[in-house]
Amino acid sequence: MENVVIIGTGCAGWTAAIYTARANLKPLVLSGTQLGGQLTTTTEVENFPGFPDGVMGPELMGRMQQQAEKFGARVEFKKVDQISKVENGIFELTVGDEVIATKTVIIATGAAPRYLGLENEMSLVGHGVTSCATCDGAFYKDVPVAVVGGGDSACEEATFLTRFASKVYLIHRRDELRASKIMAERALANDKVVPIWDSAITEYLTDDQGEVRAVTLKNLKSDEISELEVKCVFVAIGHVPNSQFVGDLVDLDENGYIIQNPRGTSTKTPGIFAAGDVADHVYRQAITAAGQGCAAAIEAERYLADGE
Ligand code: NAP
């Protein structure tokens, strides 16, 4: 029987692991499919306190893991299919054929990239459609590429891609970026970044190898249709929370975010806590996710102490 199982290994999960491990709860951390979460697909993180010169996302996550393991957190590469409640306040996590029993659960599963929802889109992931500039940018040297979106992610990816691509079209559905001023200015100041305003991709066009060669664009103000030659489209239009597996032990809002009780990380089921991007649609920062992971750990510790 586990005291606490933490599902997820992003900033929220690792911080919860550090705190619960230091509280001697011997947490079991289940990593899911992406060890280290979203920051493993970014480059430099400039706004995590304590790193005045920035830190690479994968390095930061590696350090968090090291810190959690140093205090006794155990990590297993498993993806939870389902959470159910059995008697005496015990939860069972189904992982394939295995069942893990635990007294508390901290859900820190983060969020996954959102795609445009175009017909052949998912079959083109890896063939000229991607959500990860860090992973795939270097494959597109000296060719034109596009980034879709107007937020910090889109601007960050566009700036990063200028290292490789001949031109980076930044396609946004409005004529104003949502991104923070510093990120927007940095992207737009780069000569290789060409913004295409008020526009949406309506179709991916492929060559005879099945790789993206161009996209069809629609100007949302004039309805004008055009074709834009690009070898890859980097979709950066936000994320959807990874909450599909939680069942009815927690409530979700209309966008799938876990609803926490006011002023804390507890959920409608005592013993289940949620932290980070799976529950936070407002801040969605590495540091706020880490803060919620800390809060969830402290709340789980108090919950366990109250039950004894
Ligand atoms: P975001 O801020 O939610 O921005 C998503 C962008 O995609 C928006 O510009 C939105 O357009 C556009 N969009 C959404 N759905 C679309 C659709 N179906 N078709 C076309 N465009 C669509 O997401 P994000 O950029 O991933 O950022 C998420 C959070 O992470 C934010 O809090 C951000 O500050 C943070 N972040 C921080 C950093 C950093 O500081 N280093 C880096 C990356 C992300 P509209 O503007 O029209 O809504």
Side-chain angles (χ1 to χ4, degrees):
M1 168 75 60
E2 303 291 343
N3 292 310
V4 54
V5 175
I6 297 161
I7 312 174
T9 50
C11 290
W14 285 132
T15 308
I18 292 166
Y19 273 76
T20 49
R22 290 193 76 245
N24 220 11
L25 294 175
K26 302 182 172 46
L28 173 63
V29 184
L30 302 180
S31 74
T33 49
Q34 193 181 350
L35 181 71
Q38 287 176 56
L39 279 196
T40 55
T41 64
T42 62
T43 49
E44 196 158 6
V45 180
E46 291 180 329
N47 52 8
F48 201 89
F51 296 92
D53 299 322
V55 57
M56 298 304 279
E59 185 193 340
L60 180 62
M61 300 321 297
R63 282 168 172 256
M64 286 190 194
Q65 176 172 359
Q66 221 182 331
Q67 197 171 351
E69 288 180 326
K70 179 178 120 181
F71 293 117
R74 293 158 296 141
V75 188
E76 291 183 10
F77 299 91
K78 290 177 178 165
K79 188 168 179 286
V80 175
D81 299 316
Q82 201 185 321
I83 307 178
S84 50
K85 190 173 178 184
V86 289
E87 52 208 27
N88 300 329
I90 303 301
F91 301 101
E92 284 186 347
L93 307 181
T94 309
V95 180
D97 294 338
E98 187 188 352
V99 173
I100 299 170
T102 179
K103 295 176 193 165
T104 63
V105 182
I106 296 177
I107 303 171
T109 42
R114 175 184 285 134
Y115 283 89
L116 293 170
L118 297 176
E119 207 189 322
N120 54 349
E121 188 168 45
M122 294 326 284
S123 66
L124 288 174
V125 171
H127 301 279
V129 176
T130 175
S131 62
C132 181
T134 328
C135 318
D136 298 326
F139 297 129
Y140 298 94
K141 277 204 175 81
D142 303 321
V143 293
V145 300
V147 174
V148 193
D152 281 338
S153 298
C155 289
E156 185 175 67
E157 302 224 329
T159 304
F160 175 72
L161 288 166
T162 60
R163 296 187 199 177
F164 312 103
S166 58
K167 203 171 261 186
V168 182
Y169 297 102
L170 181 58
I171 302 168
H172 185 33
R173 62 184 177 183
R174 297 186 292 131
D175 61 2
E176 193 186 351
L177 294 173
R178 170 184 297 276
S180 56
K181 206 162 178 272
I182 185 169
M183 307 277 271
E185 282 177 359
R186 192 177 296 161
L188 296 177
N190 193 305
D191 288 344
K192 281 191 181 177
V193 175
V194 180
I196 301 182
W197 304 114
D198 300 310
S199 297
I201 294 178
T202 53
E203 206 180 349
Y204 295 109
L205 305 172
T206 53
D207 61 19
D208 47 16
Q209 308 290 316
E211 301 287 325
V212 167
R213 63 167 179 83
V215 292
T216 305
L217 283 180
K218 180 179 181 179
N219 184 299
L220 299 171
K221 284 195 170 152
S222 66
D223 283 344
E224 192 189 328
I225 302 287
S226 59
E227 199 174 298
L228 180 71
E229 199 181 300
V230 288
K231 294 287 184 203
C232 189
V233 178
F234 294 82
V235 183
I237 60 167
H239 291 81
V240 277
N242 293 321
S243 60
Q244 298 81 358
F245 69 99
V246 295
D248 53 12
L249 290 176
V250 301
D251 284 335
L252 305 181
D253 73 9
E254 67 278 12
N255 295 314
Y257 289 92
I258 293 177
I259 298 176
Q260 298 159 314
N261 292 329
R263 282 187 289 134
T265 62
S266 60
T267 65
K268 79 168 184 186
T269 300
I272 299 187
F273 304 86
D277 284 15
V278 73
D280 170 23
H281 57 92
V282 179
Y283 304 107
R284 295 177 296 174
Q285 303 297 305
I287 189 65
T288 49
Q292 286 207 353
C294 163
I298 292 172
E299 289 178 51
E301 188 187 343
R302 289 182 183 157
Y303 171 87
L304 287 167
D306 286 349
E308 277 165 10

